[in-house]
């Protein structure tokens, strides 16, 4: 059975029942159909989470072999509830653009899925569309400011805001707008990103309440004057209108897993150009409501967990009580040099060669001094010898590894992991920060590259060096750093699998994201607008006269 | 009090209660919050409306003075329910783009409003956003087809599909996309429209059920081959994916008036480049459920009612049983030459000079042989002498004119009109078509220009003539015609107010809309992407920490 078939065969409970189960009052939810709801808790600032526990699920570097981080996440939430630990899941909303391109969603898989999966993977409750329209409205207002007077003397060549669509459209990567004469604006070179890459998405995911949302929006830098002075949304007076467009999108969305675990899906920022975690407000809501919250971070632990711990954690005001690193035998063998086609064949040598990738992720999480467990997400082709090897290797690194079968068995296949997580989350630990808040941008990058990526050195392009000088002038030199690099390697070269060493990371350019509150450092080329493949998934999709969909996944 | 203040002071009933009142079963609605719902009636084809009545509300040509068509429409629905005639309202969804530009929504006003008005005027249930993403996904798929092989030999210079946003962004009126080399597509001159101008919006509003929606989508012409052969969505195989993106948007939205009249708001196509009426499926749903359905058409009766009667009526399978023409003393005086500033001063001469505009609209509706009444939407500055003059003039034209005070008094201010409408809708009449289905495009245009606009002649540009030849070759020569001209005048010159004669209408160009099932004929310049004014309404909007909005209207 396909994921969609399994999802459709599942029996959904009315979302009002799930809400009740999660401890929500009737006046704290707004229904979106019968199986989706928005959650509206009034006060979200300075919440005391008591002894409620947070579990972060991350993974080794992603590979074409598949890791199944979301599947393990969902299975873990279900298993913890089976063990009578009241648990909620908080995860990201998938972007719709890629759904039309490549088969496969981001709501888990098999019997560890969040449903209704068609809705979640398509328009859902409209949050991403609200972001798209807010982002593009801001650009229209900025261009209208240029059109009518431009009192602040904004330089049309130095507008750094652009436009977004939630569509994979390569043709919008580089455009010229404003052609056709005076009534059609000022000609400009510009670009479109996919909505997940919008700074507004990052802001929605980091804001602690509606006031903070507005305050962050007002800090967005849209461009510079002819004198190179940054100009913010607040200086232009657009922050209220943009906040109004996001007021409903800012409320977390409640859905359920196939096993009826209450799940908040809210926000889906890119894990390269942004921090790749679901919203702070959703995680806070889950932490308030339930004894355990399981959540995720984007891509591998080098990008996702690092940003969770260094960017999201301080804003959230809560450190994970346990970290799960998801790995698969297949992905480790791929990291060890085996080709995708041969991954179903036992290969102890390739597996041995790939294990240092896992080792490094373990060491990294250990360097934060966090309780850690490895989840080996089992595929049917994995042999006992292979699984045993991974387990033994993890023991030698001082962590337990637990085999999970979340795809095929749901919570039942994830009970051992749940038991280990529950045990771990009661450990005593003292979180150790990777860098100090008042470290300079250069220092922060050096610490990330040397201690997390395990690279030899960092260099800065001429452009990046010039920008750093400007940042000092603007008072931005102590902001957190969000490194945008390939997710496939610890280095900035996607082809260097395993655990590369002796590499240099070159920072090409910075992008200030004052609303999100971090500086993006570009290492290598970062794709902010995906394209469609030769045979897009859209061609396989069918809908009948009754609205039944097939071929979506 | 402002419209927003009145709307906020109103007491909403839970939408489930409104649905029950409208005769909907629980399983026929999907909640979107507590005050909005989508209606999902399974079978919509070949519905027998029995003796249920349809009332069409239209108006004289719009002026800066304001006519209040939606306000009268809402007041009328409320008043009919007060008179114990079970009545539903079916109206268009306002476009969000203009909300950021010019103060004023399209959900009625004063005590004749549909609520929750902030929601309806902003994202509502996401239908317009779904259309935006479907439209742009189609363009991405077309460009991807060009990128990967282009087997049908589509000519990149002859792509007639474009992109849309629900934002007033003049800078997107004329753009070049696909710059930057091979991985960024083929460079193209292109444009963005506001979403209301998308052919998909027209299709959503004309489709009778989900199969028809898909079938119409498959007929959309996206461009031409190098041999000038039209290429449809169906030939490219994209119709299912695009239909999937619209499956929820295709369900009508249920809301309520301040007086709790069940109201369907669904679809909002432009009334120039499209037919300007709410969806067929919403009107059908209202007709099925209630004894009376009151609905509207866009702009003045020359554009809106003509398109309702010649384009929507045949698809709907129901002719209006009564037509209300809304006029104001102010707007008639403006048509008679009085300036906007002086409209609050009595001016019998200007009013007399403006009345021929009303006369012509009355005659036009009479030419379809439909029962007609004039609603004089009263403003406080109107004098008794002025109101009396309009009433007498209408009597002399063989129609009753009724003064309404819908803004200030809601249904109570619209009871006389309701009584007249109820009486009228029981009249016997035989609808007379303006043109025959098998008339040629030229003949249809001639009949519209001469019998509705009362112009002297029609000419066709060289380009239009060449296109007509192509249409014959493609078998398109008998489609209905949708004329895109200014809404401010019967002629194609916005400055010719009143009842101009002796004018020629030049058809510049045609746009085939095979999915919508009509040919657009452009008379004069048509704005399909509005701009923002010097002081956009966005600057007045405020939102506080609790999410309370002010300054929206």
């Amino acid at each position: 059975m396909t994921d969609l078939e399994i999802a459709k065969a599942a029996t959904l409970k009315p979302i009002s029942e799930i809400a009740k189960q999660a401890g929500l009052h009737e006046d704290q939810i707004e229904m979106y159909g019968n199986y989706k709801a928005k959650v509206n808790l009034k006060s979200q600032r300075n919440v005391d989470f008591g002894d409620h526990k947070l579990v972060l699920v991350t993974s080794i570097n992603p590979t074409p072999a598949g890791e199944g981080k979301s599947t393990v996440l969902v299975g873990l939430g279900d298993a913890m509830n089976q063990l009578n630990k009241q648990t909620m899941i908080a995860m990201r909303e998938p972007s719709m653009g890629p759904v039309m391109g490549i088969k496969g969603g981001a709501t888990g898989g098999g019997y560890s899925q969040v449903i209704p999966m068609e809705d979640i993977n398509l328009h859902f409750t409209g949050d991403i569309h609200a972001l798209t329209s807010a982002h593009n409205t801001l650009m229209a207002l900025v261009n209208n400011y240029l059109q009518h007077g431009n009192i602040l003397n904004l330089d049309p060549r130095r507008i750094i805001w652009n436009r977004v669509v939630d569509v994979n459209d390569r043709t919008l990567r580089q455009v010229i707008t404003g052609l056709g004469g005076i009534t059609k604006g000022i000609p400009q070179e510009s670009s479109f990103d996919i909505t997940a890459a919008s700074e507004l998405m990052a802001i929605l995911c980091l804001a602690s309440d509606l006031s903070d949302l507005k305050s962050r929006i007002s800090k967005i830098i849209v461009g510079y004057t002819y004198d190179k002075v940054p100009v913010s949304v607040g200086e232009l007076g657009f922050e209220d209108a943009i906040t109004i467009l996001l007021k409903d999108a800012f409320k977390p969305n409640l859905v359920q897993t196939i096993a009826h675990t209450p799940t908040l899906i809210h926000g889906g920022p890119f894990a390269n150009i942004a921090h790749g975690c679901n919203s702070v407000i959703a995680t806070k809501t889950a932490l308030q409501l339930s004894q355990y919250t399981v959540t995720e971070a984007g891509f591998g632990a080098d990008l996702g967990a690092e940003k969770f711990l260094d960017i999201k954690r301080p804003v959230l005001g809560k450190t994970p009580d346990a970290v799960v690193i998801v790995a698969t035998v297949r992905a480790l063998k791929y990291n060890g040099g085996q080709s995708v086609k041969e991954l179903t064949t036992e290969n102890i040598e390739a597996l041995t060669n790939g294990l240092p990738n896992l080792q490094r992720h373990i060491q990294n999480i250990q360097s934060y001094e966090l309780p850690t467990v490895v989840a080996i997400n089992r595929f049917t082709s994995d042999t006992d010898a292979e699984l045993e090897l991974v387990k033994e290797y993890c023991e030698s690194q001082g962590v337990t590894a637990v085999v999970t079968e979340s795809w095929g068995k749901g919570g039942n296949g994830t009970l051992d992991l749940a038991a280990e997580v529950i045990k771990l989350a009661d450990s005593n630990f003292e979180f150790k920060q990777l860098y100090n808040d008042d470290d300079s941008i250069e220092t922060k990058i050096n610490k990330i590259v040397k201690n997390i990526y395990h690279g030899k050195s960092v260099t800065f392009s001429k452009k990046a060096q010039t920008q750093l000088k400007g940042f000092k002038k603007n008072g931005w030199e102590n902001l957190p750093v969000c490194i945008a690099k390939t997710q496939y390697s610890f280095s900035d070269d996607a082809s260097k699998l395993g655990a590369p060493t002796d590499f240099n990371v070159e920072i090409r350019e910075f992008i200030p994201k004052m609303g999100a509150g971090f500086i993006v450092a570009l290492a290598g080329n970062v794709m902010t607008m995906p394209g469609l493949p030769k045979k897009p998934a859209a061609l396989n999709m069918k809908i009948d006269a009754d609205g039944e969909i097939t071929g979506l996944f």
Side-chain angles (χ1 to χ4, degrees), chain A residues 191-219:
Chain A
S191 67
F192 285 71
D193 289 337
I194 192 159
T195 307
S198 166
E199 183 176 357
L200 286 177
M201 172 65 96
I203 289 173
L204 181 116
C205 289
L206 287 167
S208 55
D209 57 22
L210 209 52
S211 306
D212 186 34
L213 183 72
K214 185 161 89 175
S215 153
R216 284 172 178 270
I217 288 170
S218 73
K219 288 179 192 150

Side-chain angles (χ1 to χ4, degrees), chain A residues 266-279:
Chain A
H266 194 222
F270 262 25
N272 45 34
I273 201 146
H275 63 293
C277 306
N278 67 258
S279 74

Side-chain angles (χ1 to χ4, degrees), chain A residues 148-272:
Chain A
H148 292 297
N150 190 14
I151 294 164
L152 285 179
N153 217 16
L154 254 175
D155 185 345
R157 303 162 305 177
R158 289 195 173 90
I159 302 298
I160 59 170
W161 199 247
N162 66 352
R163 292 185 185 80
V164 297
V165 285
D166 189 15
V167 176
N168 285 15
D169 190 345
R170 68 169 64 75
T171 323
L172 291 175
R173 284 175 184 156
Q174 197 173 323
V175 302
I176 297 176
T177 58
L179 296 170
I182 290 168
T183 62
K184 298 180 180 176
I186 295 170
Q188 259 173 24
E189 283 194 60
S190 192
S191 67
F192 285 71
D193 289 337
I194 192 159
T195 307
S198 166
E199 183 176 357
L200 286 177
M201 172 65 96
I203 289 173
L204 181 116
C205 289
L206 287 167
S208 55
D209 57 22
L210 209 52
S211 306
D212 186 34
L213 183 72
K214 185 161 89 175
S215 153
R216 284 172 178 270
I217 288 170
S218 73
K219 288 179 192 150
I220 293 172
I221 302 300
V222 298
Y224 298 84
T225 66
Y226 280 93
D227 301 326
K228 299 184 192 167
V229 178
V231 174
S232 70
V233 168
E235 287 169 86
L236 299 170
F238 302 151
E239 68 275 24
D240 281 273
I242 303 305
T243 307
I244 286 171
L245 290 176
L246 295 178
K247 84 175 169 60
D248 292 319
F250 189 58
K251 300 171 191 162
N253 306 293
L254 179 69
V255 283
Q256 63 191 293
T257 68
I258 290 178
H260 312 303
T261 297
T263 302
L264 294 173
I265 294 197
H266 194 222
F270 262 25
N272 45 34

Side-chain angles (χ1 to χ4, degrees), chain A residues 19 32 69 112 119 193 266 272 301 314 322 384 435 516 526 539:
Chain A
Y32 275 65
K69 185 175 60 187
S112 294
D119 289 19
D193 289 337
H266 194 222
N272 45 34
D384 288 344
Y435 54 67
V526 177
L539 288 172

